[in-house]
């Protein structure tokens, strides 16, 4: 949610890809792709954002903490980031999502958005369940 120099962003993408491969992810068995090259992520985020109310996003603790660290100058990107996370989950019709404790509320938002969408437009998105990591 913070502006990055293009060269730094490109290097971050390469570094992240290298780290994923170093962890043992086998690209012959799974798809690796740059999310920013899939327009459906942002398109779905826009649609879901139109179904999400602002007061709900303002109550998320991550918004409050990060906004405070930015001298109360939180951006729209920061505020709506949980909706983008919901789109990332729902776009692939995920049924289970590994999350840490700090992301449970964001997953609950994704669950609520899926339920709201399904109620309004018919059953389409599975309501994803959390798989809590044990760190």
């Amino acid at each position: 949610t913070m502006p990055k120099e293009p060269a730094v962003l490109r290097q971050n993408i390469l570094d992240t890809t290298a780290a994923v491969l170093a962890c043992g992810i086998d690209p012959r068995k799974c798809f690796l792709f740059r999310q920013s090259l899939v327009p459906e992520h942002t398109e779905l985020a826009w649609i879901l954002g139109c179904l999400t109310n602002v007061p709900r996003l303002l109550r998320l603790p991550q918004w409050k903490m990060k906004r405070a660290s930015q001298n109360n100058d939180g951006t729209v990107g920061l505020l709506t980031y949980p909706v983008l996370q919901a789109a990332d989950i729902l776009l692939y019709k995920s049924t289970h999502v590994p999350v840490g404790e700090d992301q449970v509320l964001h997953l609950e938002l994704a669950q609520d958005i899926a339920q709201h969408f399904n109620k309004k437009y018919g059953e389409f998105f599975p309501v994803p369940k959390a798989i809590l990591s044990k760190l």
Side-chain angles (χ1 to χ4, degrees):
T1 59
M2 300 298 296
K4 300 243 187 291
E5 292 295 322
V8 172
L9 182 58
R10 281 190 292 277
Q11 188 60 49
N12 288 348
I13 291 167
L14 294 174
D15 292 346
T16 300
T17 303
V20 166
L21 294 172
C23 288
I25 298 296
D26 185 348
R28 293 171 297 194
K29 295 181 179 178
C30 62
F31 291 103
L32 294 178
F33 60 93
R34 277 185 35 202
Q35 179 179 328
S36 60
L37 296 179
V38 181
E40 290 83 358
H41 281 271
T42 52
E43 292 167 358
L44 182 58
W46 175 260
I47 292 167
L48 300 180
C50 291
L51 298 173
T52 306
N53 67 48
V54 173
R56 173 73 190 276
L57 297 175
L58 291 172
R59 287 193 302 270
L60 292 172
Q62 287 86 345
W63 161 256
K64 293 176 185 176
M65 290 184 314
K66 288 190 178 184
R67 188 172 147 243
S69 72
Q70 294 177 4
N71 298 322
N72 291 324
D73 287 337
T75 64
V76 172
L78 180 61
L79 178 65
T80 60
Y81 188 72
V83 178
L84 178 61
Q85 286 180 310
D88 295 343
I89 294 165
L90 299 177
L91 181 63
Y92 298 100
K93 297 192 173 185
S94 303
T95 58
H96 294 79
V97 181
V99 295
E101 286 290 332
D102 63 327
Q103 292 297 311
V104 168
L105 291 177
H106 287 180
L107 183 61
E108 288 175 1
L109 177 68
Q111 293 167 335
D112 292 347
I113 291 172
Q115 290 168 341
H116 180 71
F117 187 97
N118 291 344
K119 185 176 180 183
K120 190 169 185 75
Y121 299 108
E123 289 297 316
F124 188 76
F125 293 117
V127 177
K129 294 179 177 34
I131 300 173
L132 289 171
S133 59
K134 295 175 174 50
L135 291 179

